[in-house]
Amino acid sequence: MTSKGRPTAGGDKVEIDIPIAAVCITRDGEICNQFIGTAAFSGTGEAEVRFTDPDNGYGGLLLVDRDGNGLADFSVETTGIFDVTAFTQSDFIFRIY
């Protein structure tokens, strides 16, 4: 995972590499929504990104399930980032390998 500068909702992007086998592709050839907010990982074989919000929007953890097994493969602490609840799918770049 890489970040272009300080990742903030609506600003810089967070770039995450995911294996081709864990990517959901729509009929139009687009990558499905991999960001699921605060929902639990589905474990359906598709890569997903979620966050926890223990500080009411003032930090938390971005959790990444790269292989779609329902378990976080790594996490990123977002301490000090204002309003992590504002993160959306467009704040992430999912690169397929």
Side-chain angles (χ1 to χ4, degrees), residues 6-86:
R6 181 178 175 213
T8 58
D12 296 321
K13 306 285 184 185
V14 178
E15 204 169 289
I16 300 173
D17 295 334
I18 53 177
I20 188 71
V23 176
C24 168
I25 304 292
T26 68
R27 290 182 183 192
D28 297 329
E30 300 292 323
I31 295 177
C32 297
N33 188 356
Q34 306 297 123
F35 180 68
I36 58 173
T38 58
F41 290 131
S42 65
T44 59
E46 296 173 2
E48 295 172 318
V49 177
R50 64 181 297 266
F51 68 87
T52 61
D53 183 25
D55 298 325
N56 296 318
Y58 291 95
L61 289 176
L62 285 175
L63 304 168
V64 180
D65 176 8
R66 286 177 35 149
D67 56 11
N69 67 353
L71 303 173
D73 296 306
F74 66 91
S75 61
V76 178
E77 187 173 4
T78 60
T79 302
I81 293 177
F82 180 73
D83 196 8
V84 294
T85 61

